[in-house]
Amino acid sequence: MSEPLSFELSRPGAQPPRLPEADLASPGPADILPAGMLRSNPPGLPRLSEPEIMRHYSRMASLNYSISEQFYPLGSCTMKYNPVANEAAASLPGFAALHPYQDEDTVQGALELMWRLERALCAIVGVDRVTLQPAAGAHGEWTALRMIQAYQRSRGEVRTEVLVPDSAHGTNPASAALSGFHVVEVKSGADGRLHLADLESKLSPRTAALMLTNPNTLGLFEREILDIAQLVHSAGAMLYYDGANLNAFMGICRPGDMGFDAVHMNLHKTFTTPHGGGGPGAGPVGVKAELVPFLPAPTVERTNGHLTLDFKRPRSIGRVRSFYGNFGMLVRAYTYIVAMGGDGLTQASKDAVLSANYLRKQIEGELEMPHEGPCMHEFVASARNLSHQGVRALDIAKALLDRDFYAPTIYFPLVVPEAIMVEPTETESKATLDAFAKAIKEIVAEARSNPQALHDEPKNLPVGRLDDVAAARHINSYLQGLSEDPVLRWKASV
Amino acid sequence: MADRRYTKSHEWVTVDGKTATVGITDFAQSQLGDVVFLELPSAGRKLAERESFGVVESVKAASDLYSPVAGRITAVNEKLAGKPELINSDPYGDGWILKLELTGDLPADLLDQAGYQKVTEASAH
Amino acid sequence: MPYLVHSPEERTEMLDAIGVKSMDELLVDIPRSLRIKELELPAGLSEFETMAQITALAARNRVFPDRLTFRGGGVYRRFIPAAVAAVTSKPEFYTAYTPYQPEASQGTLQAIYEFQTMIAELTALDVANASLYDGATAVAEAAMMAHIQTERTEVLVAGYLHPEYLEVLRAFSEGRGIKIRKGSEPSSKTAAVVFQQPDFLGLLTDAEALTEAAHRVGALAITCVDPISLAILKPPGEYRADIAVGEGQQLGLQPSYGGPHVGFIACRKELVRRLPGRLVGAAHDAAGRRGFVLALAAREQHIRREKATSNICTNHSLCALAASVYMTYMGPEGLRQIAEVSFRRAHSLAKRLAELPGWELAFPDRQFLNEFPVRVPKAPAMIRKLSRKGILGPLDVHRWFRELKGVVTFTCTEVNDPGAMDELLAVLES
């Protein structure tokens, strides 16, 4: 099935929507503004009637996979069920209709929700305060590094390096570089965990922080985390926690207790806010006492039951976005936390770990497992054992799409060749896990008997593999003025 | 053709009198995948040995390019703008990237064929 | 417990299959000293009890009716067609993942491609990206682009830029050694001149003059625009601005106490490689079918890592979808009508307000669209009085600008019917 673009369906005579009239005598823009300020040609937006618009979007929706219909074993993404109650909560007019510049007295419920969410997140990860401002994980990362930088500068320290494991997500070094840090890579050992000797050799008075995920991106708990924290702190540096993998141990242990000074979280991973096809999310950051003065302003304060926004924070790193946070996502996450409670969140993490180990066991005969188990909430397999058949992780991924599964994360982390990172989460039934394992077995069997078939997959989806190389080359032709087709937008003449 | 030398960062260089020609190796292009774009400097610019002078991009990777030698850029391969795929199809010939006028001696640590082979064997997973 | 799936029997089966006796064996890597007994949180609740709690929190907020909302300052009450929520609440859209596997994400990718096209059309620039977090971070990202492109370290902010956008710009610039200067004369050190059109007070600026001033010194012109205004105002591409950014909240998004909204960014083609965030492009499969893919990904953080322009990964895709639906619903004529109705009503209101004793337009020589500053005798008291009568009155801008004592901004859109304006005046006159 395919669906034309709205621009291709557009017709000049389509009825515009009926909208309110001014209903009063008053001059219009053409009467008052100089002609030179006015738009000469209308913008090329499509012209469609409402029935056509709804049909258009419904048909486009059916071209998508989504967690509502398919299993998404995406490592490091925590694609768990998005509770529909959260949606009901966020759309309550008492939240959705609030103007951010309403007087504090008129938004006590909203501020209370933010305050309670902050307290709950503090309890879950073991920190003193949390900023809810960052709009996404990468945004939160950068916010945390800026706070660490501001703290160190306030003590007269100039620390210019940030250490990042070679298994880290790309946003880690990117966020560090944006704060003006030089990024130094720390190696993983053969067991997949951080190589302590290498860490020690790279720590210096120039080190501002070590950024770590725990469990790491291989799904392995850093057993020596307390030693790591000690080493980092002895060097006068701070320890930053990337919360991508927090789903592994809620209620079991806490990053704050491990020695992390700044703890980042993804509400759109661990806390069920929906991915939306690429956002919006939210990336709150928890901090220990030393970093509290540097939190983005305003913070939410509660005195005698009354909530206020505190703007008087002289050492704050400032604002990292407009207003107070992705409030609509905060409502969703808070609703989830209330529903689950401490006991529910703990069981969720346990089930996540159980499911990952179960699934790993089911497919360990089919793909290479570079590291010994047990794993935590995710594991990394490698398709390297199929390389001699000419089959790669990409082919496995596409073959899964053809079997009505979304693919796991592939080619990440970079330290494992032909990596396939699998994170089932706690909201998938055993039956689904078994079906996935069965699909993997079938695909691997096909890889052995008929590898060429895999290269042609997916066959059952609206499109097959798309030639992104040709697209990139066309874009570069356009950017260099060698062609008229922008590729990155629809254009009438093209 | 003059004897080709290599760097650990997968560039090659050949020298003819005072002119050096630079490109990336076959191993590098196969690791990158189909090249879609190169960010390159203009002629006239002086490069130091090991100075980063540009970027070669595929759909899944972007690699910095480092000059194997010190010199002044005398020519940039114009064909690469419209046909970046030359890097993949002919990395040592039509896919050359820069020509430089040498401003110093050749670095002592440039690798020969055997030396570079060791590097690629170590890199390969 | 809510949302958990395994029965106790299944858990036992799974442990057996793994070959361990208990969960403890799976958690063996966690040092005993780190194990906690339990989370210091209340126990979980039924959906009924959960929603009771949440609804009680919502009830402690005051919702002002749309028609009696006259406050703007970057977030506006607009008519949002039912079609927007009907589309964004489709689970295939809102529970979809980032479209890294394009074959399974054509719905999302096509919707974003349409969004990119519409933003490019509105701004009259060459290419727009797939969205950013908000207008504030969009301004900051554009400034970073200019810094990288020109290799200069100063950003000039001309006129009344939204104060929160300026704060965010400062925060982004800190880490990269970029200096922010306020003024109207760029220098050879200036990477970009940033201005807002209409500005934070709602006033129209001489965008062309500022753009020319920037270009004369080799700086980029970055204009922060109101997307609805572009239905009637000359768009950035027409006055040769280099980058246009803005806040897309007015394109179908609820105020939602400040977020999530959506930032947009568009630029001329020479700057496309510097664009932060995702870009969707058209491509074909082996059978010649057209589809959409994430393009030029080599710019992004997961490939470029520390050399990326920006670290943005997750953006505001679903909000961009909402904006797409809104813009498609409106079409060029609908958007124009919204803008014109708002203009007419605001100008009528401004005239009536200026007649109140002691009230005057703060910048009578400047033009505005549908937001305007007025100087009033007792701003805080007046605003409180309106609030008591159920009206969300103007925004007191003195809180950000010391020189604007007594100045408040009123906003009027298509949701403020003439009867509502009468009610407003009646309270002010009493």
Side-chain angles (χ1 to χ4, degrees):
Chain A
M1 213 245 293
S2 72
E3 173 62 14
L5 291 164
S6 53
F7 305 95
E8 292 163 338
L9 298 167
S10 169
R11 302 169 325 285
Q15 277 283 35
R18 205 188 264 173
L19 295 162
E21 301 288 341
D23 285 339
L24 40 72
S26 185
D31 304 315
I32 299 189
L33 300 179
M37 290 204 102
L38 296 175
R39 187 167 192 132
S40 33
N41 297 313
L45 303 180
R47 291 179 174 88
L48 291 169
S49 65
E50 184 173 322
E52 291 169 292
I53 294 172
M54 290 309 297
R55 170 83 47 83
H56 177 64
Y57 282 100
S58 291
R59 288 173 62 86
M60 285 203 292
S62 72
L63 300 176
N64 260 10
Y65 274 18
S66 67
I67 191 72
S68 67
E69 292 193 40
Q70 281 86 16
F71 173 38
Y72 269 68
L74 278 165
S76 265
C77 294
T78 313
M79 291 294 284
K80 58 169 87 175
Y81 171 65
N82 305 133
V84 288
N86 297 356
E87 300 306 307
S91 51
L92 289 170
F95 293 134
L98 299 179
H99 191 292
Y101 289 144
Q102 279 183 225
D103 194 81
E104 283 165 19
D105 285 341
T106 66
V107 291
Q108 288 289 297
L111 295 175
E112 174 86 32
L113 186 146
M114 290 173 70
W115 186 86
R116 290 192 198 172
L117 176 61
E118 187 188 337
R119 296 276 89 64
L121 294 175
C122 284
I124 293 168
V125 302
V127 293
D128 297 311
R129 295 229 42 185
V130 172
T131 172
L132 301 172
Q133 265 200 30
H139 201 201
E141 241 176 45
W142 171 78
T143 301
L145 290 175
R146 282 283 299 120
M147 287 194 280
I148 290 173
Q149 187 178 56
Y151 166 72
Q152 289 165 348
R153 284 182 179 168
S154 76
R155 291 155 57 91
E157 293 170 26
V158 176
R159 290 175 175 263
T160 54
E161 284 178 8
V162 165
L163 305 186
V164 170
D166 54 10
S167 56
H169 191 285
T171 57
N172 288 178
S175 303
L178 291 179
S179 311
F181 288 115
H182 177 60
V183 174
V184 174
E185 232 180 45
V186 181
K187 295 193 187 347
S188 308
D191 71 341
R193 294 169 173 85
L194 201 67
H195 196 288
L196 247 61
D198 197 51
L199 171 65
E200 231 176 329
S201 74
K202 286 170 176 159
L203 282 166
S204 80
R206 288 185 312 278
T207 313
L210 168 66
M211 300 175 79
L212 264 195
T213 317
N214 195 14
N216 62 22
T217 56
L218 297 160
L220 304 170
F221 189 87
E222 293 282 359
R223 295 184 200 110
E224 296 177 294
I225 185 61
L226 293 168
D227 290 332
I228 292 171
Q230 216 253 328
L231 281 171
V232 170
H233 290 144
S234 302
M238 289 193 134
L239 197 53
Y240 163 89
Y241 179 74
D242 178 328
N245 292 329
L246 182 58
N247 208 46
F249 53 52
M250 289 190 290
I252 299 168
C253 58
R254 307 188 311 175
D257 301 332
M258 295 171 200
F260 285 97
D261 303 289
V263 176
H264 137 289
M265 294 160 260
N266 296 92
L267 296 188
H268 47 293
K269 294 187 180 182
T270 323
F271 298 100
T272 74
T273 75
H275 273 70
V285 179
V287 295
K288 297 285 184 62
E290 303 88 359
L291 296 176
V292 167
F294 305 95
L295 287 168
T299 56
V300 178
E301 305 299 330
R302 189 176 200 271
T303 325
N304 297 326
H306 184 79
L307 286 309
T308 53
L309 290 168
D310 181 13
F311 290 90
K312 290 192 170 58
R313 305 189 67 89
R315 293 200 284 169
S316 163
I317 59 168
R319 262 185 187 292
V320 301
R321 43 85 51 71
S322 55
F323 312 118
Y324 321 112
N326 275 354
F327 182 74
M329 313 323 284
L330 305 181
V331 173
R332 290 170 169 89
Y334 181 66
T335 305
Y336 170 72
I337 290 172
V338 169
M340 295 296 277
D343 51 341
L345 292 174
T346 306
Q347 191 60 53
S349 282
K350 288 185 174 162
D351 280 355
V353 171
L354 178 62
S355 293
N357 278 283
Y358 175 73
L359 192 52
R360 184 181 185 280
K361 192 75 187 174
Q362 299 301 102
I363 67 174
E364 70 182 355
E366 308 298 326
L367 297 167
E368 220 179 271
M369 296 293 167
H371 306 102
E372 267 182 44
C375 59
M376 294 221 72
H377 67 313
E378 69 186 5
F379 62 91
V380 178
S382 168
R384 189 165 51 163
N385 58 319
L386 301 169
S387 296
H388 63 278
Q389 304 288 128
V391 170
R392 307 184 56 221
L394 183 69
D395 300 311
I396 310 276
K398 301 303 185 192
L400 281 165
L401 295 180
D402 246 356
R403 288 158 174 77
D404 211 22
F405 293 99
Y406 197 87
T409 307
I410 50 174
Y411 300 112
F412 180 77
L414 301 173
V415 291
V416 173
E418 301 302 323
I420 298 176
M421 192 184 353
V422 180
E423 180 185 351
T425 84
E426 71 278 10
T427 60
E428 297 297 334
S429 68
K430 184 169 170 295
T432 301
L433 302 181
D434 290 337
F436 181 79
K438 183 156 175 281
I440 291 281
K441 290 191 169 84
E442 282 170 10
I443 293 168
V444 171
E446 197 174 332
R448 301 218 158 94
S449 63
N450 184 11
Q452 184 50 45
L454 288 180
H455 297 316
D456 300 330
E457 289 172 18
K459 300 186 302 286
N460 302 329
L461 290 177
V463 290
R465 297 196 202 187
L466 293 160
D467 192 348
D468 50 359
V469 171
R473 294 200 179 135
H474 291 143
I475 293 169
N476 287 309
S477 272
Y478 165 73
L479 295 179
Q480 286 162 109
L482 303 168
S483 110
E484 288 298 304
D485 176 9
V487 185
L488 298 170
R489 55 154 293 171
W490 178 85
K491 209 163 173 185
S493 49
V494 168
Chain B
M1 173 140 88
D3 216 9
R4 208 182 295 136
R5 288 281 185 266
Y6 306 85
T7 65
K8 286 202 186 113
S9 50
H10 310 290
E11 291 91 10
W12 58 262
V13 58
T14 59
V15 179
D16 191 359
K18 287 231 96 189
T19 305
T21 307
V22 173
I24 65 167
T25 65
D26 186 48
F27 176 80
Q29 71 77 21
S30 71
Q31 291 281 298
L32 270 173
D34 299 288
V35 175
V36 299
F37 182 73
L38 289 107
E39 211 174 277
L40 294 176
S42 323
R45 178 161 147 207
K46 280 216 182 98
L47 293 176
E49 189 188 307
R50 269 198 265 280
E51 186 178 336
S52 165
F53 66 84
V55 184
V56 55
E57 250 179 54
S58 66
V59 284
K60 57 171 186 161
S63 287
D64 293 297
L65 298 162
Y66 299 95
S67 183
V69 296
R72 194 181 59 83
I73 303 176
T74 54
V76 177
N77 188 347
E78 310 276 299
K79 282 199 218 147
L80 294 175
K83 294 193 93 205
E85 55 267 35
L86 287 171
I87 300 257
N88 301 110
S89 59
D90 195 8
Y92 298 119
D94 268 347
W96 65 271
I97 300 177
L98 292 183
K99 288 199 199 290
L100 297 128
E101 187 187 307
L102 290 171
T103 56
D105 294 325
L106 288 179
D109 59 354
L110 285 177
L111 303 163
D112 62 6
Q113 173 93 4
Y116 180 62
Q117 190 135 332
K118 287 210 190 85
V119 171
T120 59
E121 272 157 20
S123 286
H125 295 116
Chain C
M1 282 164 197
Y3 320 128
L4 297 181
V5 166
H6 302 313
S7 70
E9 294 74 29
E10 281 167 331
R11 290 195 182 103
T12 309
E13 269 181 64
M14 289 161 77
L15 286 169
D16 284 344
I18 296 166
V20 295
K21 300 233 168 28
S22 72
M23 277 301 303
D24 271 333
E25 287 184 60
L26 298 179
L27 301 172
V28 66
D29 283 340
I30 303 178
R32 282 265 134 214
S33 59
L34 287 175
R35 297 287 299 266
I36 59 176
K37 259 190 62 199
E38 58 180 10
L39 284 174
E40 280 156 36
L41 283 178
L45 298 172
S46 66
E47 180 179 314
F48 176 74
E49 292 158 317
T50 301
M51 291 310 288
Q53 256 200 44
I54 300 297
T55 318
L57 284 172
R60 282 172 60 191
N61 301 316
R62 183 122 169 258
V63 174
F64 290 88
D66 286 3
R67 58 185 294 273
L68 295 177
T69 296
F70 295 92
R71 187 167 301 176
V75 170
Y76 303 90
R77 267 321 210 158
R78 289 277 181 194
F79 156 62
I80 300 177
V84 174
V87 171
T88 57
S89 62
K90 287 178 186 296
E92 300 93 326
F93 279 127
Y94 86 86
T95 75
Y97 179 61
T98 311
Y100 291 130
Q101 297 286 359
E103 304 90 336
S105 317
Q106 288 300 294
T108 294
L109 287 165
Q110 182 169 339
I112 298 301
Y113 181 81
E114 293 180 356
F115 171 80
Q116 286 173 194
T117 306
M118 288 189 272
I119 296 293
E121 279 291 330
L122 268 185
T123 57
L125 283 166
D126 295 321
V127 173
N129 92 344
S131 76
L132 296 171
Y133 310 134
D134 64 0
T137 54
V139 167
E141 293 278 15
M144 299 306 110
M145 276 175 73
H147 160 65
I148 290 176
Q149 180 74 1
T150 63
E151 294 180 335
R152 296 179 183 180
T153 54
E154 181 192 84
V155 171
L156 182 73
V157 174
Y160 285 106
L161 176 67
H162 193 303
E164 295 198 13
Y165 294 16
L166 179 59
E167 281 183 64
V168 173
L169 177 58
R170 285 193 200 282
F172 269 58
S173 305
E174 264 291 318
R176 300 172 91 157
I178 294 166
K179 291 201 158 41
I180 309 298
R181 179 165 68 91
K182 287 167 92 169
S184 51
E185 304 291 331
S187 76
S188 58
K189 292 206 204 94
T190 311
V193 176
V194 176
F195 56 93
Q196 191 174 349
Q197 178 76 310
D199 70 14
F200 178 64
L201 304 179
L203 301 167
L204 294 179
T205 354
D206 192 343
E208 287 187 70
L210 286 168
T211 301
E212 271 165 50
H215 291 163
R216 252 183 268 123
V217 299
L220 300 186
I222 296 174
T223 163
C224 177
V225 288
D226 170 328
I228 308 252
S229 77
L230 295 178
I232 51 182
L233 283 186
K234 186 182 267 191
E238 271 184 48
Y239 52 84
R240 300 190 324 115
D242 301 286
I243 307 174
V245 291
E247 172 53 64
Q249 176 267 325
Q250 294 185 82
L251 304 174
L253 295 166
Q254 300 276 15
S256 195
Y257 201 49
H261 296 149
V262 65
F264 59 84
I265 186 166
C267 68
R268 52 181 182 74
K269 70 194 222 198
E270 288 75 14
L271 296 169
V272 168
R273 307 198 69 79
R274 307 272 180 231
L275 273 175
R278 301 207 175 100
L279 287 169
V280 175
H284 293 84
D285 71 4
R289 289 176 292 196
R290 179 195 57 196
F292 303 95
V293 289
L294 292 176
L296 293 191
R299 296 160 302 115
E300 295 186 64
Q301 43 72 32
H302 58 294
I303 290 177
R304 223 50 193 101
R305 293 172 73 95
E306 64 265 23
K307 299 204 172 95
T309 305
S310 164
N311 68 346
I312 187 167
C313 179
T314 295
N315 50 26
H316 275 205
S317 197
L318 195 73
C319 302
L321 175 65
S324 284
V325 178
Y326 179 90
M327 289 188 281
T328 307
Y329 177 94
M330 289 296 171
E333 280 79 37
L335 213 61
R336 184 183 186 80
Q337 181 156 348
I338 293 286
E340 284 206 15
V341 167
S342 304
F343 183 98
R344 285 175 196 272
R345 295 219 183 128
H347 280 75
S348 168
L349 181 62
K351 190 152 175 280
R352 293 172 72 180
L353 290 173
E355 283 161 8
L356 292 169
W359 286 51
E360 59 176 9
L361 290 180
F363 294 87
D365 303 323
R366 301 275 298 274
Q367 303 288 359
F368 60 91
L369 293 187
N370 66 306
E371 187 167 29
F372 55 91
V374 193
R375 189 168 279 110
V376 308
K378 285 189 172 112
M382 177 266 297
I383 293 171
R384 276 197 302 273
K385 179 175 174 187
L386 288 173
S387 179
R388 284 196 297 274
K389 296 288 182 180
I391 298 174
L392 188 61
L395 182 66
D396 190 340
V397 298
H398 182 228
R399 103 182 222 202
W400 292 287
F401 301 106
R402 278 215 214 100
E403 73 277 18
L404 296 180
K405 190 165 186 346
V407 178
V408 301
T409 56
F410 278 85
T411 295
C412 222
T413 73
E414 71 283 1
V415 305
N416 307 103
D417 55 87
M421 289 157 58
D422 291 339
E423 282 178 52
L424 170 69
L425 262 308
V427 175
L428 292 172
E429 280 157 359
S430 69

